[in-house]
């Protein structure tokens, strides 16, 4: 199986960020986190099924980002207890 190594590095980037970052300043910053935390998972699943089409990857990223955001909203109480707040600062 030939999986893209950078996808694993992206996940490690997100894991490291989870250790130090507790608050997000903007929605774009939160989307950038999803790029490293959620999107690689969808891409790896596609690669495991030998799917590497760019249009499919695009939709996978969109779905994985949406699922990550939903997870944040579902886990507000749990995340807050760990001093993590995934809602961007309101100005």
């Amino acid at each position: 199986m030939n999986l893209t190594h950078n996808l694993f590095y992206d996940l490690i980037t997100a894991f490291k960020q989870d250790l130090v970052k507790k608050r997000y300043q903007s929605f774009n910053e939160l989307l950038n986190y999803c790029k490293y935390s959620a999107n690689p998972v969808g891409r790896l699943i596609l690669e495991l099924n030998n799917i590497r089409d760019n249009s499919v990857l695009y939709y996978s990223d969109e779905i994985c980002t949406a699922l990550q955001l939903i997870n944040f909203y579902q886990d507000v109480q749990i995340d807050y207890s760990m001093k993590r707040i995934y809602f961007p600062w309101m100005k």
Side-chain angles (χ1 to χ4, degrees):
M1 185 75 36
N2 188 17
L3 299 175
T4 303
H5 294 107
N6 284 344
L7 296 173
F8 293 100
Y9 293 124
D10 287 348
L11 287 171
I12 291 169
T13 297
F15 296 153
K16 287 180 180 180
Q17 189 170 329
D18 282 336
L19 296 174
V20 296
K21 189 153 185 77
K22 303 295 183 188
R23 190 93 196 233
Y24 292 82
Q25 300 295 321
S26 69
F27 190 67
N28 283 336
E29 192 178 19
L30 193 58
L31 292 178
N32 188 60
Y33 172 77
C34 294
K35 174 183 171 184
Y36 294 100
S37 66
N39 298 357
V41 175
R43 286 175 174 246
L44 286 167
I45 296 299
L46 290 172
E47 286 187 2
L48 285 170
N49 289 284
N50 205 28
I51 299 170
R52 296 173 186 262
D53 179 86
N54 284 335
S55 64
V56 174
L57 293 174
Y58 168 80
Y59 288 113
S60 173
D61 289 349
E62 295 291 302
I63 290 167
C64 289
T65 293
L67 291 171
Q68 179 72 74
L69 294 172
I70 290 167
N71 180 259
F72 292 149
Y73 304 140
Q74 288 177 330
D75 293 344
V76 170
Q77 187 173 8
I78 294 166
D79 291 331
Y80 186 76
S81 72
M82 295 186 303
K83 308 263 191 270
R84 290 187 186 154
I85 300 173
Y86 291 103
F87 294 96
W89 288 84
M90 303 289 277
K91 293 186 179 182

